[in-house]
Amino acid sequence: MQMQLHEDAPRLVVPDRAEATARMKIDRAGWAVRSYARFDRAAVMRVTRAVAEAAHKAAQEYAEWAVRETGMGVVEHKRLKNELSAHPLVDFYENTDLVNPRVDAGRKMVEIPKPAGVVLALTPATNPVSTLYYKAILALLSRNAVIFSPHPLARACCAHAAARLEAAAVAAGAPAGLIQCIEEPSVPLVQALMASPKVQVILATGGGPMVRAAYSSGNPAIGVGPGNAPVYVDPTADQTLAAQRIVDSKAFDNSVLCTNESVLISLAENANRLERGLRAAGAHILSEPEVGKLRAWLFPHGHLNTAAVGKSAVWIAQQAGLRVVPSTRVLIAPVAQVGLDEPLTREKLCPVLAWATAETFERATGMAQMILRMTGAGHSAAIHCEDPQKAMDFAAALSVYRVVVNAPCSQGAAGFATHLAPSFMIGTGYFGRSSVGENIGPQHLVHWTRLAWNSDASVQMGDFGAVRAPFEGQAPAPRPAPAPAAAPLAEAGGMDRDMLRQLILQELRELTRGQS
Amino acid sequence: MFNYGFFNFDSKAELLDKAIEYWNPGKTKFWQDAGIDLVIDRREGYFLYDMSGRRLIDLHLNGGTYNFGHRNPELVATLKSALDYFDMGNHWFPSVARAAFAEKLVKTAPGMKYAIFGAGGAEAVEIALKTARYATKRRKIVSIIKGYHGHSGLSVATGDDRFSKIFLADRPEEFVQVPFNDIDALERALRGRDVAAFIIETIPATYGFPMPNDGYLKACQELCRRYGTLYIADEVQTGLMRTGMMWGWQSYGLEPDMFVTGKGLGGGIYPISACVVTEKCGGWLHEDGAAHISTSGGSELGCVVGHQVIDILQRPEVISNVHFVADFFHRSLNQMMAAHSDVFVGIRQRGVILGLEFDHPEGAVAVSRALYENGVWAIFSSLDKRVLQFKPGVLLDVATCQEIVDRMEAAMPRVRALLRSPRRAA
């Protein structure tokens, strides 16, 4: 082998420390979950609440950090998303018991929940910390351990947030190692980890190739495909309200939620009314030459200019050479066609909305389906209308698993303005090449062992009233975090040196208990 | 046909014959007679594979040599990388690998100043004893009865008669032994102020890991200070995170004058050992640095591997894993002992160093065999055959640990049968 002898190039090849360390994290998670999977429900909820509280308290800090680190989104919206992924998320599952066995005397069946084990969770650059919060809470509610592989653009805020949540979990009695984060994420590393036989399930949020890689890993995976939500505004809808909701939704965190409306479809008959509403809500409707300029900047050579993702409408307008008033919240580009021939009708993840007009409701529905055929199948759509029949027909015709009605789609499809499950993983189901078609929740991280009795009436099931549940007690002995290298992060999590020292001493005492 | 490219054997039986003919008849026959027909072939992680293809979980680890498992991929990659650039090196000259590794090692041990390298534990002990004689100008060395420090000239003289008398290497006038955990006996031995060093394994391995009494090691160290004797901690089996801390002496709050490390320091893939000394002891390195020479001691390849070994051991994930493994065996072995208290009578543990006591003078020999038949390889203590050395690796995962306990549980009826049988090897 020819040696490279540049002045600063290493003369020896150092083995990939990131991968070796990440594999150790998987083993550590295995240990942590072994203990945590025996917690009873009260202990599980105590840990989860403590983590939610830590998450809530740091919502603003990480909103700022994420925007600073990734250059995407809006701080106040990110704070809101972070907050929603803390206590309200736990509230939603407060009565979903994934810990206690269920006894069904009628069907002569007992069902025992079994956590998946080690969850490998990918988080995107667009919603880094809110996704991390959300997946951590899902894992805790279902008694799993989670290892995060953040998008490299958001690795620092994610690593810090994961350490903080871990510290909160440990302080609430959880074993150390339940919430970990890869410090140096990279594509080859995450691919290697996804294939690890010690990972039980992958929660993949990210770009299409990463989601496909998760499914190709050989491990069970829950991946979600890209969105590209069409939104139809029917003449029966309150045009002003519909316009307001759509603009609010598009402006929310600069459209980084994959549930944001991508293409607006209206009928010719309500176009003028709708346009007035959109303008009033802060949208800038582009002229035909402006659409051309925007298209050229946003889709050079037909591919999305990723610099636009999560940026404000004003910034994008500036880059594309358009003049807009500083209060502009959304850019709306009227288009003559939808689908493959019009790049502006693809997923954009920025406050740019394409707008197509149809002659009839049926034609509008066809357009929506055409858009989804290109990208976004299985994801989300929205409709604004007062006619239940049209809502039914629209939803029945489209290859999506959720259609938000009379609500902003960004928040609505993610369960924050509807009664859908609050989620940063929108299951795209079979239409979208995913294994789950609903909003992902903690129930997807648990499988059940079923004790099924002979159905013959002569065979009795017995009384389960006094049977011991498979718990190791109220709160198994806490495992303090290891002391040395992690100290700065642990401190950020509210652990001071004295407390750390106490924990280490306690651990040493435990270690030496067995000596004779 | 076992074709290894460079050589081949028709069968395991042929190999055993050749081993008896050309290599070591005594050792080869010993294991055959003990019912352990192991010839380690393939190895990976914490698994060994006999030539027959049978898999064994390794709890022997050659005293911690395989602390990270066999052929740890990161260490193998490290050695391969080193081989693309270095070789063993020339011991006469300073080298980047030796300097870097010495610094890395010394910095793990507050109060220490120099790392002097050898190729194996015995050589490192040899260096320690010579260093002590240089520093004190005294000749006598005190060690404990049933202590074990290697098989070279000075080191073997500190150990059990079994290994010294056969080679006429016992030197009772210079090498004095005192009972373990007997502080008065040590004081009697040191009182004459003519002892250069007291050498002791922090937890005596070959003796079956009897635990030092509370305060014993500290009292030994104080006696040494009082009588001008140097305290040498033999950390060959207790170092490298096996007690839950980098060095066993740290976990007992000691400040030895020197300590010795080996085995796992080379990750099981390249032999290297070290004697680490304080400034006070290291005088000869100034007066005549070439007073001790070792062509293969401190090989640069070993230094690169050792450097990475320390690096791995310092990762928070590893430290956490050691604690999980220690805690797991603490709980599960205590449960097992409660269920088999007729034969299984005691657990000695510090971190992932464990000695399991069985209620029979050769109890651990039977257990070792029963475990072997059940897919686990753990060795009895040579100098106390009641005690099984139980040495899980620092990187073990949950599944393997659970399997160890399951297999051990399955082996218990066989343990009882062997202990009842008049001829245990039968």
Side-chain angles (χ1 to χ4, degrees), chain B residues 130-138 230 258 280-284:
Chain B
K130 293 201 293 185
T131 300
R133 285 180 166 181
Y134 170 88
T136 61
K137 311 301 174 205
R138 299 173 181 178
L230 298 173
M258 289 179 251
K280 182 183 78 176
C281 295
W284 67 267

Side-chain angles (χ1 to χ4, degrees), chain B residues 183-405:
Chain B
I183 195 69
D184 295 333
L186 181 64
E187 175 148 29
R188 284 193 295 277
L190 301 187
R191 205 179 278 154
R193 296 182 185 272
D194 58 350
V195 175
F198 171 57
I199 182 166
I200 183 168
E201 296 162 273
T202 304
I203 306 169
T206 313
Y207 195 4
F209 300 121
M211 290 294 149
N213 292 339
D214 278 350
Y216 170 69
L217 293 174
K218 205 124 200 211
C220 292
Q221 181 182 289
E222 276 158 24
L223 283 179
C224 288
R225 300 263 192 281
R226 187 182 313 155
Y227 294 114
T229 297
L230 298 173
Y231 182 102
I232 304 171
D234 185 332
E235 288 279 330
V236 171
Q237 292 225 24
T238 48
L240 307 173
M241 282 303 298
R242 295 201 51 78
T243 62
M245 293 186 82
M246 184 62 84
W247 306 111
W249 54 261
Q250 288 173 312
S251 76
Y252 287 98
L254 305 176
E255 288 169 350
D257 298 293
M258 289 179 251
F259 73 94
V260 169
T261 173
K263 292 201 190 288
L265 192 62
I269 55 169
Y270 201 96
I272 187 157
S273 65
C275 171
V276 185
V277 305
T278 58
E279 176 73 61
K280 182 183 78 176
C281 295
W284 67 267
L285 295 164
H286 296 277
E287 184 182 327
D288 180 3
H292 176 89
I293 280 177
S294 175
T295 301
S296 50
S299 150
E300 292 178 44
L301 297 171
C303 286
V304 176
V305 172
H307 189 276
Q308 191 70 357
V309 160
I310 299 295
D311 187 84
I312 292 174
L313 287 172
Q314 289 173 329
R315 295 177 193 167
E317 291 81 6
V318 176
I319 296 168
S320 178
N321 206 71
V322 177
H323 296 173
F324 275 122
V325 173
D327 190 54
F328 172 85
F329 284 115
H330 173 72
R331 287 169 200 240
S332 51
L333 289 175
N334 272 290
Q335 280 171 14
M336 194 179 296
M337 185 167 67
H340 302 282
S341 55
D342 56 326
V343 286
F344 184 2
V345 296
I347 298 171
R348 306 162 172 182
Q349 179 177 13
R350 195 166 181 93
V352 289
I353 296 172
L354 292 99
L356 311 185
E357 298 167 33
F358 293 88
D359 191 20
H360 187 284
E362 295 214 340
V365 180
V367 177
S368 182
R369 177 170 177 173
L371 285 177
Y372 176 69
E373 291 168 3
N374 281 278
V376 174
W377 173 232
I379 198 166
F380 48 85
S381 309
S382 298
L383 302 180
D384 184 354
K385 293 191 171 124
R386 294 167 61 252
V387 182
L388 185 79
Q389 294 189 355
F390 190 98
K391 296 180 273 196
V394 292
L395 297 183
L396 272 173
D397 64 5
V398 182
T400 312
C401 287
Q402 272 166 342
E403 190 178 343
I404 289 166
V405 170

Side-chain angles (χ1 to χ4, degrees), chain B residues 142-161:
Chain B
V142 175
S143 56
I144 64 153
I145 297 169
K146 307 282 184 193
Y148 180 95
H149 304 284
H151 294 264
S152 61
L154 299 177
S155 66
V156 77
T158 65
D160 198 68
D161 276 359

